[in-house]
Every structure is written in C-alpha cells, then in structure tokens.
Amino acid sequence: MLDSLPLEFARPTMLVFAVFLIPWLAFGAWRSLVDLPNAQRHLLFGVRLVLGMLLVCAMAGLVWLRTTNQRFVVVAIDQSRSVGEEGQQLIRDWIANAQAAAGDARVVFLPFAATPGNVSEDFLAANDRAGIRPAGWSDLASNLAAAVETARAVIPPNYVPEVVLLSDGNQTVADVHRIASLGEIPISTIPLPDPRDPEVQLSAVDVPTQVREGEPFNLEVVIDSTRQQSAELNLFRDDLKIDTKTVRLQIGENRYLVPQQVAGQRKVVYTVRVGAIEDTFLNNNQASGSVNATGKPRVLLIDSDPATTDVLRWALEEQQIHVDLRPPQGLPQKLDALQTYDAVLLSNVPATEISLRQMQNLRSYVYDFGGGLLVVGGDQAFGLGGYYRTPLEEMLPVRSDSKKDKEKPSLAIVLIIDRSGSMAKDKLELAKDAARGAVELLGPRDQVGVIAFDNSSHWISELHSASDKEFIVNRIRTLATGGGTNMYPALADAYRALQTAVAKLKHVIILTDGISAPGDFAGVTADMVAQRITVSTVAVGDGADEKTLRDIAEIGSGRFYLCDDPQAVPQIFAKETVTASRSAINELPFLPQQARVTRILDGVDLENSPPLLGFVATRAKPTSEIVLTTEEGDPLLAWWRYGLGKTMVFTSDAKSRWASEWMSWPDFPAFWAQLTRSVMRNRDVQQGELNLRQLDDALEVTLDVVDSNGQFQNQLVTQLTLVRPADQVEKETYVVPQTAPGRYSIRIPIKDEGAYFVDLTQTENNQVVLQTSQGFDVGYPAELRLKPTDSDLLRRVSDASGGQFNPTAAEFFQKTMPPASRAEPLWPWLLSFSLFLLVIDIALRRTDLSSWGLGRSKRPVR
C-alpha cells in the first residue's frame, strides 16, 4: 500500500533515527516524574512521537511525487564547416518556429562543432532567457555522440526530457547510434540539406606504398567538385615543385594519373595542391602520399667539416651504399625525416653543435624504430665533443670520461659564472648543472674553483681539490642571482688564484649572457697567457657582448662559444673541461688489436692494416661488445644493442689526421661498409605487406606476413610505434592483435593534421623477425570533406531512441509525451507542523487538564 503512495525519501538512511526515537520517547514517558493525569501524559507522548517522526521525515528528505507535462528541450545544432548556407537557413527557420510553438516548454540551444566566432548571438540570447549556458560546446567537432551526451547532461530533473539534433549526419568521431540505442531520452533528428556552395576538394593522393628504385609508377590524384570548372594542379616531390597542369573538373569525382619514379631516395613525399576559381574552403585543397623505394641502402653522414670526409663518403658509395652528407645543422629536427635512412653516421661531430631535440630524435630513431648509429671519433668527438651526460652518450656503448688519472697532467680550472638578474631561473640552473658536470669530469689530482659575478666578484668555492667533489658540488648549489654585470673583478680574482696554483695545466671558463662594465680584459688575459693560463668564453643568448668575449678567447688561446640555446651550456662545459685536461686524446701511433672474432670484420685483412695515428680515450660500458682495442687496451671499435637498434663507436677517425695511412689501405672501403651495414635497420626478415588506410577519425593499420615459402606467420608478438605530428619526440606504442591467418590489424584514433609515422616490429622468442615502417599525411580534418547528408544514420538514431525523424517545429511540440515525475520537497511543511506541535507539547507540560475531566494526578510535581 505504501508503494502506491506518491511519496519518496531522498535520504532514506536517515530513517534509522526512528528506530532509536520511539524507545527513547517511551522510556522518557514511563520514567517521567511529572504529576499529570494519565490521559494527559498519554496525549503528551503521542504529540512528542508525531513531532519526532516529522523531524525524522524532514531529515530523510520526504518529497511528494507529482506528474508534470512540462518539457525541457535541448536543440543540438551542427555548426561544422560542412554545413552550407542552405543548411544554416533551415536551422534559423526551425529555431524561429520552435520558439513560437514551444508554449510552456523550456528550450535551450547547443551549437556544436562550432568556433567562438560562428556561434549565433540568437542562440546565446535564447539560452540566457532559459537561464542556461552550456560549457564546452564549441569543441565537439562533428562528434554527434558527444553533442547528444552533452545535451542529455544539460537537462535538469523534473521535466519531460527531449533532444533535437539538427545535423548533416556526417560524424567524424564516435558513434551517435550507440548512444541513441540506450533509449534514455528521445532524440528527434532533422537532416540538413547537402551543401550547394561551390567547393573543390583534393580527396586523395594515391601512391603505392613501396616501389623499386627507378621503377615507373602512377600517382593518382582524386578531386571532388560541386561545379564544372577549370583548376590548376601543382605537384611537389618533398619540398620541390616538379609539375603544373591545368585540368577540367566535372561535378563529382575526378581522377588523374601522373607518371612518376623514385631515384636516389629511400622515401619520397608527394604533395598535390589544387587551385580553382570557385571554391569555398581552401584548407581542403592539399593532400599528400608517401612512397618507400627499395634499392641501395641509404645512410646519413654528418660531419662537422664535410669537406674533409670525402674519402669516407667515396668508400661507402664504392660499396653500393648511398650517402647523404650534411653538417651537424642538417641532422633532421623531426623524427619522421630520420626514417628515410637505414643508418646515421656521426664523424667527428661535437655535441655542442647538435640540439637537445635532435639528440632526442636520434635516440628514438635507434631505440624505438630500430635505426642504426655509428659514431666515428676525432678531436671533436666523445669527451672532446661534450658528449658527457647527454642523450648521445646514453646511446653509445662507451662512456666519454676517461679515468686514467695517473697518465694525464694535473689541471687547475676556474669557472666564472654570471649571476646577474638576467641569468635568473633556467639559465642559472643550467649553469649550475654545467659546473657540477665539469667537477665530475675532474680527477683527484685536479683543482677547481667557482666564481660568481654581478656588480662585484664572489668566490662560491675557492680553488679546491677535485678529490672532494661533494664539497664543491654543495657549494655550487648555493649559487643565486644578484645584481648587475661586472666581469673584470672576477677575471682578476681567477688570475690571482691560478698564479699560485700547483698544476701543469691551468684554464678559465667564463659564462655570461650580458654586457659587462668596462675593464682591462685584454691586459689581464695577456698576463694570464704569459703565466700559461688559457681562457675560453661562452656567450649565452643575443644579449651577450660577443665581440669582447671572442677577443678574450682569442687572446687567451682558448675557444669562444656562441650559445643560442642555454640547454647546450652543460655540453660546452664538459667539452672544455675534457679539452683543457688533455686526458681524452692520445696521438701516438698504434696497431689495432682484435679482441674477439666477429662477422663484422669478415673478409677484412686487419692483420696487415697500417697503424692509426691517434684515438679518443673512452671507457667501455659493462654490456658492450669490444671488437677492436688499442695496444693499451682502450676501446677502438665497440657496439651494443640499444632498444630495437644498434649503436657502434670507432674512437679513431676516418680522416687524414689519424687515419691518413688507412685511407690508402685496400680494405678501407670494405671495413667501413661492413661497419655501416652491421648497424643498419633490420628490415623485412620475413615478407610483410604493410597497409595504412585513413578513416574519418582513425587510422587502420594492416600487416600481412608470410615466410619465404608463402606460409602465413601466426602468433607473432607485434608492436606498433606511432609518432604523431604534434610531437616528433614523444611516441605511442600499441600491441597489434592477430585478426586472421597471417594478418595483424588495429585502428588508432587520429585527428591532427600533419605527418604521422608508423613502425611495426614483430618478434618470435624475443628475436626480431620483421621490422617495417611507413609514413602518411593527414592534409586536412574530416570536417572539410565533401559528403552527402547521412539521412539513414539520422533516421536510425530517431527510431532507436523513440524520437521523430524530420518533424517541423509545430509537429514536434504538438506530439504528446509521457509525463514525468516532479519531486516537491515537503520539509518546509514538516518543519512548520513540527513547530505547531512543539507549542502544543509545551502547553501540555505547563497546563493541568484534570478540571476537564481527565482525572487527578497521583504524584507530586518535581
């Protein structure tokens, strides 16, 4: 019977108080000493019981459920760029009619797939009148499902809920039909007409994913147009324009074939741009396609002085390896550009000439994508190149710091660091990190001091033995910013300290980002050189006095560094410290010693090789494999696996300084070719066909794998690595499931424009059996694709949710909907009646009703 009552408790757990209330009231009435007639005492107990129950019901949130026919309608309006002017007019007309026919219904408008500039003020005004402004409506780019979910969240309780969806039905994200199938709220749909605005869209550039080098193929251009007109096609290979032609577009789809071939490149990106007289959106007039060419392996050779590395380049090309030669600045800034190459060679390249982003890309290229890296030494490599504590050193099988302290001369070094206000935050922290790194590179017989300067000179750590590194590092941590910039007193203090220092080598490094007050810099520097003290300088940023610092370094027989990126400061300090200590370089002739037998050197007559004239001292890491050593046991040739790839080092050089006699050695080309091939990316050990297909909101990746006998390869562990255009350093990894015999496939959400890169690696028993990669380009968002209105989807949405399909505004509001329950809180009434009963309670306790015939009291009043 209670279930049929239109009452409900919002907080039913509060009813537990009634369990304690009734016994407590009964006990109080029984033990009461009040001398009242029994009937009056029973009446007082009843009043108190009702009063208590009313308070418990108020706390439990007793509400009265009554029915209501008032409707709350959210009109979700597609404002995407795919909606034409005719569709916009239909929207305006429907909204105007809805406002006239709404009656007592509350109506709010939810524009989605909109930018702040194209949200109608009419929508905002109507919502203000309704007392609601939904947040976040402008970022639902053709996401009909999210728009419907947002609309449902806007509707408050106590109304008959309804959603109206005005859209072309072309969803680019998620599935609105799945949301509609839940059937919680009726969704009425109104299809918007196909756009009739003049529009030209470059729909696709179809190219084969892989061709042989020099093999002819057709590039197919697909263009959709809503008008008959002439257009101009411009074809680009990578960034070079190679062809222009005029075509006649017909209404609908147009296809054109352009013959092409790839020569001398591993990967080519073809981009086509179309220009037409009548066109509404220009953002969808460009598309790209990538072609991978098989043929000679391709490597990128980076050299700090490209003119001196011709012999190495010729040796590799003689062995059928295609070489792209560039300076350090030419190392790609984007990860996808590195994927063109099977390996990267760094020949005598200092880390100070490579940005942190370039090093991170190189690390990901090797570790995540199985690329190869071969680092060749020289007077600017390893410790001499500032590799210490960089991502580059992390990749290599050797460390850049040498610990043969007994063989190197003692060094006294003073670091002079600008601590003026302009060095605040990042710059000063990087300088402190650089100073700590320099201290770590010093041996126990070395000494180091740190001076900071602003308006005056301050010893942070006076000249102190590097055997107590912890003390010096703790002092460096106290370095903080100060005032102006006066470098001369600091330079003079360093000179006085080094004059009396007992060390064979003495060196000063100055770092500043500003212009110092005047001083006799040339004079004090000349005095230092006379005392065999060398000086190097580092200018950080554009505000530094480059000319003065360059002059000091030149007079001081040191080196000048112009550091645009403060992130490179630690590398510069490490490079300077190792160079000044003269500990890393060994220029005595030696014959390479083979430490272990390896296939890397098969066919190379190493026993009859001429001597090398020098090398850079390094230390082998514990898990590296040492192939060649010097006569003293230092690493000469070492390699290891780094992630999916390999890295190798050759600590001598391939130039005329140390390898002058090797350059005339008959096996010189074979030696370098075999080293390079040994680190190259391991491509397609099995036979695999990788296909990428772009859907509206996802990338479909399919890999079909067979062995050499044509048998499907099943149950392989397949890992996909994806690099998105938004960030060419970070990557995403996915495990690709097997979906059919020999087939592995996955769908990955994508939405950003730009170049993507996919790498697939398959392993069996922890051995790589296949590695293949491919790039693709998203030229423009799915919003700008020409598509007819999807009326079928909109009809299925309305049918599944119980809404109407394509109603007029009048038809929509005339339809009778089942009433909703509206909860009316009863606590104000309960509290009011409780106050009334409280007055009666007080009156019953203060008044003797025996004169009214209720009997006499039998106990005295206490």
Side-chain angles (χ1 to χ4, degrees), residues 94-136:
W94 203 95
I95 289 173
N97 295 333
Q99 289 173 326
D104 68 341
R106 292 186 64 186
V107 183
V108 298
F109 302 99
L110 177 68
F112 67 95
T115 58
N118 71 356
V119 175
S120 169
E121 292 296 330
D122 295 338
F123 301 160
L124 303 180
N127 288 347
D128 283 338
R129 289 193 297 271
I132 188 167
R133 288 179 64 90

Side-chain angles (χ1 to χ4, degrees), residues 177 189 790-800 805-806:
H177 183 262
T189 57
D790 194 344
S791 298
D792 179 64
L793 172 65
L794 296 176
R795 185 182 295 276
R796 287 189 288 114
V797 167
S798 59
D799 291 345
F805 176 72
N806 201 21

Side-chain angles (χ1 to χ4, degrees), residues 36 40 43-44 47 839-849:
L36 293 173
Q40 185 173 347
L43 179 60
L44 180 60
V47 169
V839 174
I840 293 177
D841 177 91
I842 295 172
L844 287 174
R845 286 187 286 112
R846 298 294 183 184
T847 306
D848 187 354
L849 300 181

Side-chain angles (χ1 to χ4, degrees), residues 355-665:
S355 69
L356 178 61
R357 186 179 185 88
Q358 286 173 313
M359 283 191 275
Q360 290 172 334
N361 283 334
L362 193 57
R363 177 172 59 187
S364 184
Y365 162 75
V366 176
Y367 191 91
D368 300 307
F369 296 99
L373 175 65
L374 172 58
V375 177
V376 184
D379 61 351
Q380 296 291 309
F382 303 109
L384 298 168
Y387 288 16
Y388 184 61
R389 293 171 60 189
T390 65
L392 183 56
E393 186 191 52
E394 176 192 319
M395 301 163 58
L396 301 181
V398 297
R399 292 174 57 93
S400 300
D401 54 328
S402 176
K403 293 297 182 180
K404 293 194 174 182
D405 298 311
K406 294 180 180 179
E407 299 176 10
K408 69 178 184 180
S410 57
L411 169 68
I413 187 170
V414 175
L415 310 177
I416 300 177
I417 300 174
D418 185 349
R419 73 164 197 173
S420 61
S422 59
M423 287 287 292
K425 296 183 180 179
D426 292 346
K427 288 182 182 178
L428 189 62
E429 288 304 313
L430 287 167
K432 290 161 68 173
D433 186 52
R436 289 193 292 266
V439 171
E440 291 176 10
L441 285 167
L442 296 172
R445 298 192 300 140
D446 298 328
Q447 303 170 66
V448 62
V450 182
I451 300 176
F453 69 90
D454 43 26
N455 290 319
S456 57
S457 173
H458 311 271
W459 278 99
I460 301 300
S461 175
E462 294 189 359
L463 211 57
H464 192 85
S465 171
S467 61
D468 189 5
K469 289 183 170 62
E470 185 176 355
F471 170 80
I472 303 169
V473 169
N474 287 335
R475 294 297 304 157
I476 292 171
R477 290 194 181 102
T478 66
L479 182 57
T481 54
T485 305
N486 189 0
M487 188 169 63
Y488 180 78
L491 192 59
D493 285 349
Y495 172 43
R496 285 190 290 270
L498 289 175
Q499 264 187 313
T500 58
V502 179
K504 291 186 177 180
L505 304 173
K506 300 178 182 181
H507 190 59
V508 175
I509 305 175
I510 304 173
L511 181 143
T512 179
D513 72 338
I515 298 176
S516 170
D520 185 15
F521 299 112
V524 70
T525 305
D527 291 341
M528 295 171 82
V529 171
Q531 297 291 325
R532 308 181 81 175
I533 302 171
T534 54
V535 185
S536 291
T537 57
V538 183
V540 181
D542 297 332
D545 187 352
E546 182 180 342
K547 183 180 184 305
T548 299
L549 295 174
R550 192 184 296 275
D551 290 344
I552 291 174
E554 186 175 342
I555 297 171
S557 299
R559 288 151 295 278
F560 167 74
Y561 300 89
L562 178 59
C563 185
D564 296 327
D565 181 6
Q567 295 286 344
V569 169
Q571 299 164 32
I572 292 173
F573 270 47
K575 179 181 186 303
E576 273 298 300
T577 303
V578 174
T579 302
S581 68
R582 300 181 188 174
S583 60
I585 198 166
N586 188 322
E587 295 195 283
L588 296 175
F590 68 94
L591 288 171
Q593 307 296 308
Q594 188 162 351
R596 61 185 297 271
V597 178
T598 173
R599 295 182 60 185
I600 296 174
L601 301 177
D602 282 354
V604 176
D605 187 9
L606 197 66
E607 292 184 0
N608 294 316
S609 64
L612 291 165
L613 304 182
F615 69 97
V616 183
T618 58
R619 284 194 297 155
K621 293 181 180 177
T623 57
S624 63
E625 293 195 29
I626 308 299
V627 179
L628 298 178
T629 67
T630 67
E631 292 171 345
E632 297 177 353
D634 290 288
L636 176 62
L637 178 63
W639 73 278
W640 72 351
R641 288 196 172 275
Y642 185 70
L644 295 177
K646 296 178 185 176
T647 64
M648 180 180 288
V649 297
F650 185 75
T651 59
S652 187
D653 69 6
K655 300 184 179 183
S656 58
R657 177 167 180 171
W658 294 337
S660 56
E661 297 190 33
W662 266 42
M663 294 166 108
S664 58
W665 177 36

Side-chain angles (χ1 to χ4, degrees), residues 315-372:
L316 294 175
E317 290 184 340
E318 179 184 316
Q319 297 290 313
Q320 302 302 305
I321 297 175
H322 185 87
V323 179
D324 282 353
L325 176 61
R326 299 182 188 176
Q329 296 76 17
L331 188 64
Q333 295 282 351
K334 292 188 175 181
L335 182 56
D336 64 327
L338 280 171
Q339 308 303 334
T340 303
Y341 301 100
D342 297 297
V344 176
L345 278 66
L346 302 183
S347 175
N348 197 28
V349 176
T352 52
E353 293 187 15
I354 305 175
S355 69
L356 178 61
R357 186 179 185 88
Q358 286 173 313
M359 283 191 275
Q360 290 172 334
N361 283 334
L362 193 57
R363 177 172 59 187
S364 184
Y365 162 75
V366 176
Y367 191 91
D368 300 307
F369 296 99

